[in-house]
């Protein structure tokens, strides 16, 4: 693991003279402009120039039309050129949620979601993932990603479980730091953002009324394509834990949830995003003690604190209080994201009246300028166009394939079901997830919530099986498991998937297999000697009742665009290597983690569990 260089350290702490000089020339309006982040569909380049806006972002699915790397680049550069025309020519910084590769962009490589990388437990690999992500971001001239998520999720019902690396603080700290180093490395790095500060993974399940949910709160949002998510269905548990309250004492917060931020800061992280959640009833976006005293004071964080999407609007019923409370608590940049004029005029008013002190505005602007300076935006506001050639390249995809292979966890393997012989006497395959790029990518993939279908380039598990098996092998695929009545095969493979989701839309009261999924398993079970099940999911599913009918069980998480690499491991070209980053509960009674720890019964599979397969020595050459 490369050590942090002096240069990186300077990046994190220096306030270059150039920044102080610039600050001394800035008007209040210009400083407030820097503190403003607007979403791309809500602002034009002309308004960027008029307001001197400091940052523009694409939320999940905030893509240009058509969605191609070239058009992305033109969009981002268009905003940047406008920023460079302002009086002081201060560049803006464009931000996106590149949480598993540059995942909004059609044609980019999409890596496994963090939960899979948590199973791979390979910091060096994650650094390479970070470097490639940075290169693909810079190809489109994007200099900031809202990653890594360094949540320590303690309740698998949470729809953001897959965005975390696992339930263990040390694991999250090590891997979050590794991604930070990879993303920010050297001159070709982009700004990382540790999120969501702090204890977003510790919130408690609650019964919340639908009208209090996130989306109703965001009702001032203009209709937007990416916002057209499914209606909230509370029978599933949607928005029952995301953005909730972490009811834990300070010792627990410091022992379990704070260390990943310390690790990210030590690795050079220069931005942190505040969490929508509350800590014992107090909103993080207004938490002066945690944002200012602990993060900026005690932890010595010298970068900028950004809000989450429209999060300050949740602080109070009047917007003036929302703005003053959050900025005074230590927020430096506000992801507005729609009504930037309203935000700018409110903050200007508060600054002029003294409700937000001048020193606070200066501190925020200084931090923002320092970060832009550290990431070379003053020297190279527009990145090198030739990087576009590497977007989604074979070389980049090869690293994603490695990540997919290392992330697989073998949970059960009886009757020598795996590895599969390449000269397969007969294999029947069922399940939509076996051949669907969108399903294997999950949420935060091309669109915010993700969706089924050929949403971007990549290879499916079925593609991989066809490529690895001998041409003579007999392979039959019926997505719904409806084979001819005579069909019998030695091997049956069922791929079960969770339908894609992001954030509170993925909160679930029940993680058991559905009746349809169980029926599919039975249909294939009846036609094969050995039943192999591959799970595509962002978290463990409750599978204890079905386990006896399954011969081999593989957890493949949300592998991204290169799911074809799952076949390399199923056929034994590579070993199963992954270890569970979450304890696997036997029943819903073992959720959340505190209940599992108090349970008299062992979990179905403990944290760190993962079987190994024998490897054919002749395959070692390819390792
Ligand atoms: C999410 C953040 C994300 C932001 C911008 C929010 O809803 O909580 O994780 O970075 O949107 O898309
Ligand atoms: C998400 C954004 C998304 C938006 C749509 C936010 O909560 O973070 O990424 O585009 O909702 O409303």
């Amino acid at each position: 693991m490369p050590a942090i260089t002096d240069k990186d350290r300077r990046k994190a702490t220096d306030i270059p003279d150039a920044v102080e000089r610039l600050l001394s020339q800035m008007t209040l309006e210009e400083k407030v402009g820097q503190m403003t982040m607007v979403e791309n569909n809500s602002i034009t380049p002309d308004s960027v120039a008029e307001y001197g806006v400091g940052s523009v972002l694409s939320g999940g699915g905030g893509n240009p039309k058509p969605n191609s790397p070239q058009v992305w680049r033109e969009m981002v550069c268009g905003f940047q050129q406008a920023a460079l025309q302002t009086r002081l020519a201060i560049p803006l910084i464009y931000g996106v949620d590149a949480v598993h590769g540059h995942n909004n962009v059609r044609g980019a490589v999409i890596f496994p979601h963090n939960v899979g990388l948590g199973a791979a437990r390979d910091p060096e690999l994650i650094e390479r993932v970070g470097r490639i992500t940075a290169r693909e971001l810079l190809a489109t001239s994007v200099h900031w990603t809202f990653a890594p998520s360094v949540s320590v999720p303690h309740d698998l019902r949470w729809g953001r479980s897959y965005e975390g690396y696992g339930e263990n603080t040390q694991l999250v700290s090590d891997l979050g730091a590794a991604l930070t180093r990879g993303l920010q490395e050297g001159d070709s790095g982009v700004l990382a953002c540790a999120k969501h500060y702090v204890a977003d993974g510790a919130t408690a399940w609650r019964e919340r009324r639908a009208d209090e949910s996130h989306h109703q709160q965001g009702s001032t949002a203009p209709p937007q394509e990416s916002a057209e998510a499914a209606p909230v269905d509370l029978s599933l548990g949607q928005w029952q834990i995301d953005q909730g309250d972490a009811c834990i004492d300070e010792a627990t917060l410091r022992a379990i949830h704070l260390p990943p931020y310390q690790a990210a800061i030590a690795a050079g992280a220069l931005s942190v995003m505040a969490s929508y959640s509350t800590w014992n009833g107090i909103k993080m976006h207004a938490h002066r003690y945690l944002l200012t005293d602990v993060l900026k004071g005690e932890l010595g964080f010298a970068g900028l604190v950004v809000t989450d999407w429209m999060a300050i609007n949740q602080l109070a019923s009047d917007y003036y209080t929302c703005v003053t409370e959050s900025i005074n608590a230590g927020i430096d940049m506000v992801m507005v994201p729609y009504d930037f004029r309203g935000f700018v005029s409110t903050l200007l008013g508060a600054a002029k009246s003294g409700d937000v002190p001048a020193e606070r505005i200066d501190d925020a602007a200084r931090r923002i300028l320092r970060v832009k300076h550290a990431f070379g935006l003053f020297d190279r506001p527009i990145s090198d166009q030739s990087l576009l050639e590497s977007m989604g390249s074979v070389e980049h995809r090869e690293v994603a394939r490695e990540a997919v292979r290392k992330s697989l966890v073998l949970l059960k393997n009886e009757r020598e079901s795996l590895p599969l012989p390449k000269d397969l006497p007969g294999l029947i395959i069922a399940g939509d997830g076996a051949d669907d790029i969108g399903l294997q990518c999950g949420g935060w993939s091309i669109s915010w919530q993700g969706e089924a279908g050929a949403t971007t380039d990549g290879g499916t598990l079925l593609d991989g099986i066809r490529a690895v098996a001998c041409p003579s092998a007999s392979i039959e695929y019926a997505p719904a498991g409806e084979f001819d009545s005579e069909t019998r095969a030695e091997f049956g493979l069922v791929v079960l998937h969770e339908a894609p989701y992001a954030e509170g839309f993925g909160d679930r009261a029940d993680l058991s297999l559905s009746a349809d999924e169980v029926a599919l398993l039975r249909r294939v079970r009846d036609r094969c000697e050995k039943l192999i099940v591959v799970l595509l999911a962002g978290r463990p599913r409750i599978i204890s009742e079905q386990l006896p009918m399954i011969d081999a069980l593989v957890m493949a998480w949300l592998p991204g665009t290169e799911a074809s690499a799952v076949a390399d491991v199923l056929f034994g070209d590579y070993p199963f290597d992954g270890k569970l980053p979450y304890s696997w509960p036997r029943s819903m009674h073992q959720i959340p983690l505190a209940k599992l720890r108090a349970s008299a019964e062992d979990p179905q599979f403990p944290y760190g569990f993962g079987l190994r397969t024998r490897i054919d020595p002749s395959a070692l050459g390819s390792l």
Side-chain angles (χ1 to χ4, degrees):
M1 213 174 291
I4 301 176
T5 62
D6 280 351
K7 190 173 156 220
D8 293 333
R9 237 185 301 274
R10 272 202 309 279
K11 240 187 192 178
T13 51
D14 266 16
I15 305 172
D17 295 343
V19 166
E20 285 306 332
R21 269 200 307 278
L22 196 53
L23 197 64
S24 68
Q25 296 168 50
M26 285 167 78
T27 62
L28 178 62
E29 283 73 9
E30 283 163 337
K31 291 172 190 170
V32 167
Q34 286 301 308
M35 294 169 70
T36 309
M37 177 191 263
V38 190
E39 84 74 54
N40 61 315
N41 291 309
S42 303
I43 193 163
T44 59
D46 285 348
S47 296
V48 163
E50 186 187 339
Y51 285 83
V53 157
S55 179
V56 176
L57 90 147
S58 283
N63 309 327
K65 287 195 184 97
N67 180 358
S68 73
Q70 179 67 41
V71 178
W72 262 88
R73 186 180 165 87
E74 285 159 13
M75 168 181 74
V76 175
C77 293
F79 286 121
Q80 185 65 286
Q81 263 138 8
L84 296 174
Q85 277 153 30
T86 52
R87 186 178 73 96
L88 296 169
I90 302 176
L92 61 73
I93 183 161
Y94 201 98
V96 300
D97 294 283
V99 298
H100 59 152
H102 197 355
N103 46 55
N104 283 310
V105 182
R106 232 191 132 112
V109 60
I110 298 187
F111 294 97
H113 267 298
N114 285 350
V115 66
L117 299 180
R121 293 200 187 181
D122 183 342
E124 187 276 331
L125 166 66
I126 293 178
E127 276 196 46
R128 277 185 284 142
V129 167
R131 260 179 256 142
I132 290 169
T133 304
R135 205 178 307 158
E136 298 209 353
L137 284 164
L138 286 178
T140 57
S141 213
V142 173
H143 287 79
W144 190 4
T145 170
F146 309 126
S149 158
V150 292
S151 321
V152 185
H154 272 222
D155 191 325
L156 295 167
R157 291 173 292 184
W158 189 31
R160 307 195 81 156
S161 299
Y162 67 79
E163 294 186 58
Y165 292 107
E167 73 193 27
N168 178 279
T169 298
Q170 190 64 49
L171 179 75
V172 173
S173 301
D174 291 349
L175 302 188
L179 192 79
T180 302
R181 280 193 300 271
L183 286 168
Q184 297 199 351
E185 195 184 81
D187 286 336
S188 50
V190 301
L191 174 62
C193 183
K195 73 184 189 187
H196 309 83
Y197 183 82
V198 57
D200 57 341
T203 60
W205 188 265
R206 60 179 179 251
E207 301 304 325
R208 199 163 68 152
R209 293 202 337 269
D211 60 1
E212 290 174 328
S213 78
H214 169 72
H215 273 260
Q216 275 70 21
Q217 274 170 339
S219 59
T220 53
Q224 188 199 353
E225 200 187 356
S226 57
E228 281 169 22
V232 175
D233 178 355
L234 290 179
S235 70
L236 298 169
Q238 292 180 350
W239 300 100
Q240 293 295 302
I241 183 165
D242 189 44
Q243 307 191 6
D245 190 20
C247 313
I248 53 174
D249 62 20
E250 183 162 350
T252 308
L253 181 135
R254 284 178 175 272
I256 311 261
H257 301 281
L258 196 60
Y261 292 92
Q262 290 167 296
I265 292 167
L270 276 183
S271 76
V272 165
M273 187 185 291
S275 178
Y276 278 122
S277 56
T278 57
W279 179 39
N280 293 319
I282 300 179
K283 290 265 184 207
M284 280 307 311
H285 280 77
H287 216 297
R288 189 182 192 135
Y289 171 66
L290 287 176
L291 293 175
T292 296
D293 301 352
V294 175
L295 179 62
K296 293 179 175 176
E298 205 181 307
L299 269 49
F301 176 62
L304 70 90
V305 179
V306 64
T307 72
D308 205 331
W309 179 280
M310 221 172 171
I312 67 167
N313 301 47
Q314 300 184 9
L315 295 180
S317 50
D318 71 295
Y319 195 57
Y320 190 80
T321 307
C322 296
V323 170
T324 51
E325 273 200 6
S326 56
I327 305 295
N328 286 336
I331 294 292
D332 301 306
M333 185 186 274
V334 173
M335 192 186 285
V336 177
Y338 303 117
D339 180 15
F340 61 92
R341 292 183 185 85
F343 169 73
V344 164
S345 64
T346 307
L347 181 54
L348 276 177
K352 284 178 186 154
S353 74
D355 285 343
V356 172
E359 306 80 64
R360 184 70 269 280
I361 301 276
D362 280 349
D363 175 51
R366 182 181 289 116
R367 286 169 180 268
I368 293 163
L369 295 176
R370 176 202 287 148
V371 167
K372 290 183 176 179
H373 198 273
F375 282 86
L377 277 154
F378 286 95
D379 308 326
R380 288 169 273 106
I382 305 260
S383 68
D384 178 1
Q385 167 139 22
S386 69
L387 285 168
L388 273 176
E389 287 156 29
S390 70
M391 194 84 186
S393 66
V394 175
E395 188 199 349
H396 289 183
R397 288 180 195 275
E398 190 42 57
V399 175
R401 294 181 66 85
E402 178 184 340
V404 171
R405 294 190 293 251
K406 289 183 170 170
S407 71
L408 302 177
V409 183
L410 182 61
L411 296 169
K412 178 174 180 181
N413 189 20
E414 280 171 13
R415 304 168 63 218
E416 301 211 16
S417 302
L418 290 175
L420 289 167
K422 292 191 181 170
D423 58 352
L424 279 170
L427 171 65
I428 53 172
I429 305 176
D432 293 329
D435 196 27
D436 190 306
I437 302 274
L439 295 182
Q440 72 201 34
C441 287
W444 297 109
S445 305
I446 310 301
S447 59
W448 178 34
Q449 294 295 314
E451 61 186 303
T455 50
T456 186
D457 308 337
T460 65
L461 174 51
L462 188 65
D463 296 333
I465 290 174
R466 294 216 159 107
V468 178
C470 295
S472 59
S474 143
I475 299 171
E476 203 184 329
Y477 175 47
E482 280 155 356
F483 298 96
D484 289 345
S485 55
E486 291 80 56
T487 302
R488 294 280 178 283
E490 164 124 24
F491 295 97
L493 172 64
V494 178
V495 180
L496 298 180
H497 70 274
E498 273 191 321
Y501 55 81
E503 304 186 38
F505 285 108
D507 292 353
R508 289 285 177 280
D510 188 0
L511 300 176
S512 312
L513 300 189
S514 68
D516 286 351
E517 289 176 307
V518 175
L520 180 63
L521 286 181
R522 292 229 170 84
R523 276 204 291 286
V524 178
R525 169 77 280 176
D526 288 347
R527 298 181 180 283
C528 67
E529 286 300 311
K530 295 172 180 170
L531 177 64
I532 297 158
V533 173
V534 172
L535 292 177
L536 298 177
R539 51 191 155 189
R541 311 274 314 271
I542 304 300
I543 198 164
S544 33
E545 278 179 31
Q546 293 76 39
L547 211 48
M549 72 164 132
I550 297 170
D551 295 296
L553 178 62
V554 176
M555 183 52 164
W557 314 106
L558 296 167
T561 51
E562 307 316 304
S564 58
V566 175
D568 300 352
V569 184
L570 290 183
F571 285 92
D573 284 348
Y574 292 83
F576 279 95
D577 219 7
K579 300 187 181 78
L580 285 181
Y582 287 113
S583 314
W584 195 294
R586 238 169 237 286
S587 73
M588 290 311 293
H589 299 298
Q590 292 187 329
I591 295 176
L593 198 54
K595 276 203 187 167
L596 186 144
R597 290 190 175 139
S599 166
E601 269 189 307
D602 288 337
Q604 190 73 59
F605 306 107
Y607 175 83
F609 183 79
L611 300 169
R612 301 277 176 278
T613 36
R614 257 183 316 109
I615 270 229
D616 172 2
S618 66
L620 285 173
S622 60
L623 279 181

